[in-house]
Amino acid sequence: MIAAALTIPFVVGLALLFLRTLVSGRTAAWLGAVAMAASLVLFALVWEGKDAISGEVDVEWIDLLGARLHLGATAISWPFLLMTAFIGVLCCVWLIADDTAPALVGLVLIISASSLGVFASLDFLLFFVFFELALIPMWFVIAWWGSSSVEPSAEGDRGGGLKNVPGPDPRLAARSAATRFLLFTVTGSALLLVGIVLVARDNDSLQLTEIRGGPLAAAVLIVLGFAVKTPLVPLHTWLPDAHSKAPTVGSVLLAAVFLKLGTYGLIIASSVLPEGFADVAPYVAGAGVVGIVWSALACYAQDDLKRLIAYSSIGHMGFVALAISTMSPIGIAAAVFGSVAHGVITGLLFFLSGSLKDRFGTASMRAIGRGLYARTPWLAVAFVFAAVASLGLPGLAGFWGELLSLRAAYEVGEVLDKPFAWTAVGFAVLGVALTTAYFVRAIRLLAQGEPVAQDADRDLTVRETVVAVALVASIVVLGLAPGLIVGLYDFSAVTYSGTYTPVAP
C-alpha cells in the first residue's frame, strides 16, 4: 500500500510532464488532485498502530552496498506523510485554472512524491535518494514560474497604483533565487552523504531500524546537512529570496514540506546517533533560539508579506530545533506536532498571500493598502485567522507546538544543562512576544484602518475558499484535539524506532 501511495503521484507527475501538450491546465490539476488524494487515503489506511512499522516493504536493492528498498510508516513519520499528501492535494486544487501549465502540476506531484519517499524511507541511502530527488523539480518551479518583482509607487504607499521599478530582469532574479536555493541545499546534501557513509561503515548497515550510533564527525555532518534544509541560522539565507520569488504553490511546498525534511532529519539523527547528537545538541538549541529572536525582529522590518512569512518560518523552526535538542520524549512529540502545525498554518498564510499577490500584482503591504475587512471581508478574516494561529493563540494548532517545545526545554533532561536550557526558554518566550508584535502589525496594515478601494479588490474565489476552509478546519482540529498527534507517543520511550532512552552527554 505504501509503494502504491508513492508511485501514483510520481507516475501521474511524470505523465503530465511528458504529455503536457495533450492536456489542459485545468485537467492536469484535477488529475493531480485525484492522485494526491489517493495517496492521502492510502497513507491513512496503512496505519497499524503506534507500536508497529505500518505497511512495511523490504526488498533487495543494491546488495553490494547493503541498501534495500525499505519503506514503512512509524509513529513519527506517519503525521508527516499525512500532512505532505494533504498539502499536495490542496496545491493541485489551487492550480485548477485554465491558465495553469500542466508541467507545473507535474512538478508539484514529483516534489510531493519525493518528499513522501523521504518520510517513508527506512533505509538511509534510499532516504538520501528521495531527499535529493525533489531538488531539481523545485528549482524549475521557482526559476520558470517565479513571479516578477513589482514595487509600490508613491501613490501605492497610500493604497494607490503600482509601478514597475527599473532593475534586474525578474526572470533572472527568480533564477538567481532558485540557484541559491539549489547551491545551499546541494552543499548540505553533500555533507549529509558523507555522514551517511561514515554511519554505514561504523554500523555495517544502512537500515534506520538497525543503526545505533556512529562517530561524532558523522553526527556533525548529518546535522549540518539537515540544518540547511530546516533552516537554522546562519544557514537560512536562501529562504527569503526563494519564497519571495516562488509561485504560490512553490512557497507552500517550500514552507509546509521542504522545511520538514530538515526537521524530520534532525529527529532521525537524534534517534539513530544519540551520543553524537547529544554533543551537538546545545549548538542546535542555540541556533534555534537565535533564529526565534532574530527572525522575529526581521519580520517586524518587512513590507513584503511573503518575505515576512518566510522569516517567520525560521522562528517557528527554531522552536522545533529547541525541542529536538532536548532529546527527551516530550521534545520529540513537540517537534513532530510543531512541524505539522507549522505546515498547515504557514501553508494557509502562503496561499492567502498568493491570493493577494494575484490580485494586486505585489506582496507589498503598503501597496495592497489597508481596510481589507471592508474591501475583501472573507479574505481578510482568513488572513487574520492564519496570523493569530501562527502567533500561537490557545485553541489553535500553533499554540501546542510552542508550548510543548518550551516545556521540553524547561524540564531539563539529560542533554542540556539547566542554566543553558532555562536561558533558551527565556529567549524563546521573548520570541513569542515579538511574533505577536509583528503579526499584529501585519493585521493592522492590511485588515484594519480606513479602506481605500482598488480595482483589484475581490473576495475569495471558489477554489481559494475550498483550500482555505480545509486548512482552517485542520488548524482548529489540531488545536482542540492535540492528542491526535501527541497521543501517538509513549512519553516513557519515544524515538524513530520506538526504543529511545535519553543519553547523557
Side-chain angles (χ1 to χ4, degrees), residues 22 99 113 122 160 249 324 354 471 478 485:
L22 303 180
D99 59 347
L122 296 173
V249 292
I324 297 171
L471 287 169
L478 289 177
I485 293 179

Side-chain angles (χ1 to χ4, degrees), residues 66-435:
R68 304 182 65 82
L69 293 174
H70 194 182
L71 302 167
T74 67
I76 288 177
S77 66
W78 192 55
F80 287 96
L81 290 166
L82 295 179
M83 187 264 294
T84 300
F86 178 57
I87 292 295
V89 172
L90 298 183
C91 284
C92 291
V93 170
W94 186 266
L95 292 173
I96 296 176
D98 292 329
D99 59 347
T100 293
L104 176 58
V105 181
L107 291 173
V108 167
L109 291 177
I110 292 173
I111 291 169
S112 299
S114 302
S115 302
L116 290 169
V118 171
F119 299 130
S121 293
L122 296 173
D123 178 280
F124 225 157
L125 184 59
L126 183 63
F127 175 101
F128 180 79
V129 170
F130 279 122
F131 195 81
E132 292 301 288
L133 195 58
L135 294 184
I136 299 301
M138 182 57 78
W139 185 92
F140 282 106
V141 169
I142 300 172
W144 286 14
W145 285 276
S147 56
S148 60
S149 298
V150 181
E151 298 184 10
S153 67
E155 291 80 8
D157 291 344
R158 299 187 298 273
L162 303 173
K163 68 176 182 180
N164 291 317
V165 178
D169 185 336
R171 292 182 181 179
L172 292 179
R175 290 181 183 179
S176 176
T179 302
R180 176 183 290 185
F181 153 77
L182 188 63
L183 289 175
F184 266 80
T185 51
V186 166
T187 301
S189 297
L191 300 176
L192 174 61
L193 180 59
V194 176
I196 291 174
V197 171
L198 293 176
V199 169
R201 186 186 65 178
D202 200 66
N203 289 266
D204 196 28
S205 175
L206 283 164
Q207 307 312 300
L208 293 175
T209 52
E210 299 174 1
I211 296 171
R212 286 297 173 268
L216 176 59
V220 171
L221 291 170
I222 289 173
V223 167
L224 283 174
F226 290 134
V228 173
K229 207 84 157 197
T230 299
L232 295 180
V233 174
L235 304 174
H236 68 285
T237 55
W238 61 269
L239 184 67
D241 283 343
H243 273 305
S244 62
K245 297 298 186 293
T248 298
V249 292
S251 294
V252 171
L253 288 173
L254 276 173
V257 177
F258 257 67
L259 303 192
K260 308 312 172 295
L261 302 182
T263 58
Y264 179 71
L266 289 175
I267 293 172
I268 290 178
S270 71
S271 176
V272 301
L273 301 171
E275 293 183 359
F277 190 88
D279 289 331
V280 300
Y283 301 99
V284 173
V289 170
V290 169
I292 292 171
V293 176
W294 180 86
S295 65
L297 295 174
C299 285
Y300 202 81
Q302 300 303 311
D303 175 60
D304 186 293
L305 182 59
K306 292 188 72 175
R307 290 182 72 88
L308 183 151
I309 301 168
Y311 277 113
S312 75
S313 294
I314 298 171
H316 290 301
M317 292 302 95
F319 279 98
V320 174
L322 176 62
I324 297 171
S325 69
T326 65
M327 297 185 68
S328 64
I330 192 170
I332 300 301
V336 175
F337 192 98
S339 294
V340 173
H342 175 266
V344 294
I345 294 171
T346 305
L348 177 58
L349 281 169
F350 272 118
F351 275 127
L352 296 174
S353 68
S355 295
L356 291 170
K357 193 165 187 177
D358 289 344
R359 287 158 171 74
F360 300 100
T362 181
S364 166
M365 291 186 285
R366 291 176 298 159
I368 293 170
R370 308 186 70 169
L372 288 181
Y373 276 139
R375 296 158 52 194
T376 57
W378 287 111
L379 177 55
V381 168
F383 170 72
V384 172
F385 175 88
V388 297
S390 188
L391 63 83
L393 185 73
L396 300 178
F399 171 75
W400 296 107
E402 293 182 358
L403 181 66
L404 291 171
S405 297
L406 292 173
R407 178 185 167 185
Y410 179 81
E411 289 185 348
V412 185
E414 300 292 332
V415 178
L416 304 179
D417 58 41
K418 181 178 289 188
F420 182 90
W422 284 15
T423 301
V425 169
F427 279 105
V429 171
L430 173 62
V432 172
L434 293 173
T435 300

